[in-house]
Structures are given as structure tokens and as C-alpha cells.
């Protein structure tokens, strides 16, 4: 008897429907064809044990499993339930009447229970697009799949439940998630706040500008000055995610298997802080079976690189293109996958190996030339892509012990949102462009016009600091953001001066 069930393969953050055909005929062998990897081939042993331990039997005849389309590689253990369900139906142990209405996915344990899968959200989106009635999957993934409207999602604990469901012996409770309610209820739930930071008004101002325009920023200062503490609070002043951004971010985390069973949506902006020993592939994504890297997991959020010079140079260099293009393309011989990676880069570093170069009180003990050598670990092209260079100085005792209340993140966020709304209006609601940092060079020329006095100031700064053409664009973008925060239509001299001020690493005195 021939039976068809349906599963799905995830490539990048999109899914492709896979048809699993099982035919049982005279013979004794088990064959699986259709470009399966080792994990799919091993499914025979998991399926046999799972069926035996839940009161079913594995047919002692020839079982041929075909996974179509045959030219797409099938990877992972999430096809176990798809194949097992087809085997049960083909051997007459289960009704097969409604199998073609559902996508069925799940990894089987030897006792018949189900383990969670990766990519439940993109699979659910594709299932709805392809006109399937429902999606049967492990209970741990049910909430993330249920955010897709017009698709019946059933979370199950074991294969016995699936068989009884198709036999009509039991009604499985449908998983229902109110997507908008889920989204708005947990929007902007942050654990930390800018009001907890004493002093550092200059750095808070820089981070406000960065948040308002989506600019990359590097914080340079001695140990214990508060660089990491300030960076961790940056998501709390970013504008809340839109529903579209939330769904896109959730898809990436779903594919990477980073969503907890209780989560349906990623509702707060991601904050990723990889260790400096991270490999190139783990940072940008890839591998034999391509997976999103840290820069994609930070999509629509913040990627924080603490102690930037300690990262491998090769890892930092592969970030240069994604920083410009806001996506990562991973190419293999037979396929290419794209992962979005539109993130804000926040980096921090000590000014020198001992950490006290340019410190107001402590003396630097590094030998001559060491500061320049330390800074040269970060390439010029990467630094050019960072809009704001901010010096962080230690907070003195009087500020630390002060009872004066600092400004809350909520108030800063209101100003940031107002500036972003000006930018959205300026860009005409373009889906791919919603912040000043994303402007192309041509748009910078058109939208960041400065008067004669501004031109003179910028010319002097360019000559004195030896800035590149890209740095010139960065200064104009930042000054445009500062003007937006001030509610000014034109870029004034003070906006330009403040933008130039935030190019610390270009100034003399950092030459070592």
C-alpha cells in the first residue's frame, strides 16, 4: 500500500514542503531515498523502537520511503514523525484519510515521545501558504507555530496521540495564540534601565544618537568605567519592534532553535554578546548544514562585541560586508541561503593593553608604540563603518554617591521614537529603510545638505583628522540624526560639530 505524508525542509529562514511517500510490498528490506543525510537514514532505528514501545509494529516487509523533491538534501531528525505516520498508515495500523491535509514534523525518542524541532515558524508559514489545513508537531514548538493565523496547530506528546487523532479516537486540543495580544503584552519588557547609571551623560547622549539613527558605536575607556553596563541598556531605549520585525526576528531564532517552549514571539529587541574566542562561522553563520550566526540572531537588535581588539581579525573582517548590506549570503555548491542581519553594532575596548592610556588619574605603563599596535588590531575599514567613537571616562565618587535621579530609559525612548518617526516619513515608509544609518551615499548627498559654514568646518575636520570618504558620509548621517533629535529640518553647525566630536579614534592623541 502507498501512503503520502507531508513534512518541510528549512533553508535559510524559508521552508519548502517535502512529500514523504511510503510503499510497503513483498520483501524484507527498508530503503530510504530522496537525498537523505545520515540523521534521516538513522530514523529507521528510532521509528522501529518508538512503534514497538507504543504498541505498534514495524512491518516485516519491504518498506520504501521516498522523500520528494529528490534533488533537495533532507537533513536532521525532524522527519521521524512524518515517516513513522506514513509507515503506520501504509501498514494499516492507522487511518490515512486526512493525512494529506496536515504537515507532520517531529523527532522521535525510542519510547515514542517527541523532541522539539527547529524552524517551526517558517514551516507553519509555508504550510499556510501551500493550503494545508493544519500542522502537527511536538508540544514544545506548538506556541511558536500557532502565531500563524488560519492554520490549525496541534501540539502532541507522542506518536500514539497522532495515530489516535487520525483514527478519530481522540480530539487533540488546538493550540491558539492571540498574536497581537502576545506581541503588545510583552513589548518593551526590559530588566535594566538607564536610570540605574550614575553620571556618564556624554555617553548616554551618544547612545541616544546611536539609537535614534541606528548607528554603530564603539566605546573606548579604562576597565570599570561602565562600557558594558551602558551597552547592555541600549535595547531599552530603542523603538519597540514592529509586528513585522518581531515575526522576522522570531523566524531566525526559530531556525536556530533558540526559542523557549513558553515563547511564541520575540517581542523585545535581541541583545547578543558573543565571547571574543568565537569562530568566524559562529559569528556570521554557515557550517555544513548552514545555521544563522550571532549577527543574524542580533537582527533588529544589538550585537555587542566586548573587548573588540581581542576578537580574531578574520572574524571581524568577515563582518564588514554584512554591516554594509545588512544580510549574510552563505553559498554552497548546490544551494545558497540568505540570513537577514540588520543590527546595531556596539563595540567596547580598552584604549591600550594596560587599559589606562589617556586616563585622567592613572598612568599608562605600556611601552612606546604599544597603543598604536593595540589599535591596529582593528582594521581601518571596520572602524570606518562605526559611526560614533565615544570616550568613556570613569565616574568620580561624588557622582556615584549622588542621590540625584537619572533620566529613565522610557523618556529617552520617547525622543528616539520621535526622531525615528521623522526618518520614516522622510523615507516614505520603505520597508528596507527606516533609519539614517541605512542611507545610501546618494541619499546622504540629497538629504544631508549643509551650508557654507558647515562645509568649511567639515573640510577642516577632514584635513586635520585625515578622514576617508566613508567617514565623511558617517559624519553627515550622524549630524542628520542629531538634527532629527532636535526637531530641526536643517543640519546646523552645532549638529555637525557634535557629530565630528564623536570620532575620537580619528583624532590626534590616539596615535600612541
Amino acid at each position: 500500500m502507498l501512503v503520502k505524508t507531508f513534512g518541510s525542509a528549512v533553508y535559510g529562514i524559508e521552508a519548502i514542503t517535502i512529500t514523504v511517500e511510503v510503499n510497503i510490498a513483498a520483501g524484507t528490506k527498508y530503503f530510504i531515498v530522496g537525498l537523505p543525510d545520515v540523521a534521516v537514514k538513522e530514523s529507521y532505528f528510532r521509528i522501529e523502537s518508538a512503534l514497538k514501545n507504543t504498541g505498534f509494529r514495524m512491518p516485516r516487509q519491504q518498506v520504501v520511503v521516498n522523500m520528494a523533491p529528490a534533488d533537495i538534501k533532507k537533513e536532521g531528525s525532524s522527519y521521524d514523525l512524518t515517516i513513522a505516520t506514513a509507515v503506520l498508515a501504509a501498514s494499516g495500523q492507522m487511518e490515512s484519510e486526512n493525512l494529506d491535509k496536515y504537515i507532520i514534523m517531529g523527532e522521535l525518542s525510542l519510547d515514542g515521545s517527541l523532541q522539539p524541532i527547529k524552524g517551526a515558524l517558517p514551516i507553519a508559514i509555508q504550510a499556510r501558504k501551500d493550503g494545508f489545513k493544519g500542522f502537527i508537531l511536538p508540544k514544545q514548538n506548538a506556541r511558536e507555530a500557532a502565531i500563524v493565523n488560519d492554520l490549525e496547530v496541534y501540539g502532541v506528546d507522542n506518536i500514539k496521540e497522532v495515530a489516535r487523532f487520525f483514527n478519530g479516537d481522540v480530539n487533540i486540543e488546538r493550540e491558539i495564540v492571540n498574536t497581537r495580544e502576545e506581541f503588545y503584552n510583552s513589548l518593551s519588557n526590559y530588566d535594566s534601565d538607564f536610570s540605574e547609571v550614575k553620571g556618564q551623560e556624554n555617553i548616554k547622549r551618544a547612545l541616544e544618537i546611536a539609537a535614534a539613527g541606528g548607528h554603530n558605536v564603539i566605546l573606548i575607556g579604562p576597565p570599570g568605567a561602565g562600557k558594558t553596563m551602558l551597552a547592555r541598556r541600549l535595547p531599552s531605549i530603542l523603538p519597540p519592534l514592529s509586528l513585522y520585525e518581531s515575526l522576522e526576528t522570531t523566524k531566525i531564532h526559530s531556525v536556530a532553535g533558540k526559542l523557549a517552549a513558553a515563547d511564541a514571539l520575540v517581542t523585545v529587541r535581541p541583545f547578543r554578546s558573543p565571547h571574543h574566542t568565537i569562530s568566524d562561522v559562529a559569528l556570521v553563520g554557515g557550517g555544513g548544514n548552514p545555521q544563522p550566526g550571532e549577527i543574524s540572531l542580533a537582527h533588529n537588535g544589538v550585537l555587542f562585541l566586548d573587548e573588540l581588539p581581542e576578537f580574531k581579525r578574520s572574524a571581524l573582517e568577515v563582518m564588514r560586508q554584512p554591516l554594509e548590506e545588512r544580510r549574510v549570503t552563505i553559498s554552497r555548491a548546490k544551494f545558497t541561503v540568505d540570513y537577514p542581519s540588520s543590527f546595531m553594532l556596539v563595540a567596547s575596548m580598552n584604549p591600550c593593553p594596560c587599559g589606562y592610556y589617556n586616563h585622567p588619574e592613572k598612568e599608562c605603563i605600556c611601552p612606546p608604540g604599544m597603543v598604536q599596535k593595540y589599535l591596529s588590531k582593528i582594521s581601518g575599514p571596520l572602524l570606518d563603518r562605526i559611526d560614533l567613537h565615544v570616550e568613556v571616562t570613569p565616574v568620580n565618587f561624588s557622582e556615584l554617591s549622588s542621590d540625584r535621579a537619572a533620566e529613565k530609559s522610557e523618556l529617552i525612548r520617547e525622543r528616539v521614537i520621535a526622531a525615528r518617526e521623522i526618518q520614516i516619513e522622510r523615507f516614505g515608509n520603505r520597508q528596507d529603510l527606516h533609519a539614517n544609518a541605512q542611507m545610501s551615499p546618494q541619499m546622504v548627498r540629497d538629504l544631508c545638505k549643509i551650508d557654507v559654514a558647515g562645509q568649511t568646518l567639515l573640510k577642516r575636520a577632514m584635513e586635520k583628522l585625515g578622514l576617508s570618504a566613508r567617514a565623511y558620509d558617517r559624519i553627515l548621517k550622524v549630524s542628520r540624526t542629531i538634527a532629527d533629535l532636535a526637531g530641526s529640518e536643517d543640519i546646523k553647525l552645532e549638529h555637525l560639530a557634535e557629530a565630528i566630536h564623536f570620532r575620537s579614534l580619528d583624532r590626534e592623541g590616539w596615535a600612541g
Side-chain angles (χ1 to χ4, degrees):
M1 184 177 173
L2 174 66
V3 167
K4 292 183 182 181
T5 54
F6 297 91
S8 202
V10 177
Y11 283 88
I13 58 168
E14 305 300 330
I16 302 164
T17 298
I18 301 294
T19 304
V20 174
E21 302 171 315
V22 171
N23 188 58
I24 297 179
T28 55
K29 287 197 172 182
Y30 177 92
F31 299 98
I32 183 161
V33 294
L35 218 58
D37 74 347
V38 175
V40 179
K41 287 175 182 173
E42 287 174 346
S43 65
Y44 172 78
F45 303 103
R46 290 191 294 271
I47 291 167
E48 184 179 37
S49 296
L51 294 184
K52 188 178 176 183
N53 289 321
T54 49
F56 299 106
R57 59 179 172 80
M58 190 72 177
R60 294 299 168 212
Q61 296 159 278
Q62 185 190 77
V63 179
V64 179
V65 180
N66 177 44
M67 306 179 81
D71 61 337
I72 293 174
K73 193 169 179 64
K74 322 302 182 303
E75 296 170 322
S77 53
S78 54
Y79 298 104
D80 290 359
L81 188 60
T82 325
I83 298 168
T85 308
V87 168
L88 286 177
S91 59
Q93 299 175 75
M94 189 186 93
E95 291 292 329
S96 60
E97 191 180 340
N98 294 315
L99 280 175
D100 60 345
K101 297 175 183 174
Y102 295 88
I103 290 280
I104 303 167
M105 296 289 284
E107 178 189 334
L108 281 170
S109 292
L110 299 187
D111 62 356
S113 61
L114 292 171
Q115 299 295 327
I117 62 170
K118 291 181 179 180
L121 179 56
I123 292 170
I125 291 168
Q126 189 61 38
R128 182 181 65 180
K129 202 182 288 182
D130 289 345
F132 285 93
K133 180 184 177 184
F135 184 11
I136 295 169
L137 75 169
K139 192 160 268 183
Q140 299 97 312
N141 299 111
R143 279 181 60 75
E144 67 176 276
I147 65 173
V148 178
N149 300 325
D150 305 322
L151 184 75
E152 295 176 12
V153 173
Y154 298 100
V156 292
D157 289 316
N158 55 60
I159 191 170
K160 201 166 190 174
E161 273 187 66
V162 180
R164 293 180 70 197
F165 173 75
F166 283 107
N167 287 337
D169 298 337
V170 67
N171 284 324
I172 302 171
E173 190 179 342
R174 182 182 169 186
E175 191 75 37
I176 295 172
V177 172
N178 185 325
T179 310
R180 292 189 179 275
E181 188 180 307
E182 184 89 16
F183 175 67
Y184 290 113
N185 280 354
S186 46
L187 209 57
S188 304
N189 284 350
Y190 293 102
D191 298 329
S192 48
D193 197 276
F194 264 83
S195 61
E196 298 155 358
V197 181
K198 299 282 187 182
Q200 305 289 27
E201 299 307 322
N202 183 46
I203 295 88
K204 287 180 187 175
R205 169 65 177 169
L207 292 180
E208 181 182 335
I209 294 166
H215 302 289
N216 302 321
V217 57
I218 184 167
L219 306 173
I220 314 117
K227 302 185 293 292
T228 304
M229 180 178 67
L230 284 155
R232 288 194 180 279
R233 282 156 177 74
L234 179 59
S236 69
I237 63 168
L238 287 169
L241 284 168
S242 67
L243 190 54
Y244 172 82
E245 287 176 325
S246 179
L247 282 165
E248 194 176 37
T249 308
T250 306
K251 276 170 83 173
I252 297 166
H253 285 249
S254 173
V255 167
K258 301 288 185 186
L259 280 181
D263 295 335
L265 274 172
V266 174
T267 54
V268 294
R269 293 194 179 270
F271 181 88
R272 305 293 299 182
S273 180
H275 193 259
H276 62 256
T277 54
I278 192 169
S279 69
D280 307 6
V281 169
L283 187 63
V284 297
N289 174 18
Q291 288 288 300
E294 286 291 333
I295 64 172
S296 293
L297 292 169
H299 180 60
N300 290 324
V302 175
L303 178 71
F304 177 51
L305 302 183
D306 201 3
E307 299 305 334
L308 189 66
E310 302 303 328
F311 282 79
K312 284 192 298 182
R313 191 178 180 109
S314 60
L316 295 177
E317 293 308 297
V318 291
M319 270 201 331
R320 280 162 48 180
Q321 194 173 356
L323 273 170
E324 288 288 316
E325 296 184 1
R326 300 190 177 269
R327 66 187 311 101
V328 179
T329 302
I330 296 161
S331 298
R332 295 289 177 266
K334 291 188 177 179
F335 62 90
T336 299
V337 295
D338 274 352
Y339 292 116
S341 58
S342 179
F343 60 92
M344 271 182 67
L345 174 65
V346 180
S348 76
M349 60 178 284
N350 291 333
C352 65
C354 81
Y356 296 108
Y357 181 71
N358 271 2
H359 192 281
E361 293 162 11
K362 296 188 180 178
E363 195 175 332
C364 173
I365 57 168
C366 296
M370 183 56 77
V371 177
Q372 185 58 44
K373 187 180 176 184
Y374 187 69
L375 289 176
S376 68
K377 287 185 179 181
I378 309 162
S379 71
L382 181 65
L383 272 180
D384 266 357
R385 286 168 168 83
I386 298 175
D387 306 352
L388 296 154
H389 306 165
V390 187
E391 283 185 73
V392 183
T393 51
V395 182
N396 58 44
F397 179 77
S398 61
E399 280 184 316
L400 273 176
S401 56
S402 168
D403 291 332
R404 186 168 58 87
E407 194 173 25
K408 288 190 171 183
S409 290
E410 195 179 344
L411 297 172
I412 303 173
R413 193 193 303 125
E414 283 173 11
R415 295 197 294 271
V416 168
I417 291 169
R420 284 280 181 114
E421 281 172 356
I422 292 169
Q423 292 163 51
I424 289 166
E425 195 177 318
R426 179 184 298 133
F427 302 135
N429 290 319
R430 275 178 58 178
Q431 196 71 268
D432 61 329
L433 191 65
H434 48 78
N436 286 334
Q438 298 167 343
M439 286 192 288
S440 66
Q442 185 55 51
M443 292 182 82
V444 172
R445 301 288 182 277
D446 295 340
L447 300 173
C448 303
K449 296 192 186 303
I450 49 177
D451 58 20
V452 177
Q455 290 277 10
T456 307
L457 175 66
L458 196 49
K459 181 173 182 281
R460 281 184 192 158
M462 291 279 294
E463 288 169 355
K464 189 175 180 183
L465 304 177
L467 300 179
S468 68
R470 188 183 275 116
Y472 171 80
D473 278 356
R474 301 284 172 197
I475 289 171
L476 287 177
K477 285 179 185 179
V478 172
S479 56
R480 178 68 268 168
T481 301
I482 295 168
D484 291 342
L485 277 168
S488 170
E489 224 172 283
D490 301 319
I491 297 173
K492 296 179 180 172
L493 210 58
E494 60 266 28
H495 305 147
L496 207 52
E498 190 174 5
I500 294 166
H501 165 71
F502 288 124
R503 297 294 300 185
S504 294
L505 290 178
D506 296 324
R507 293 206 306 269
E508 282 181 35
W510 284 102

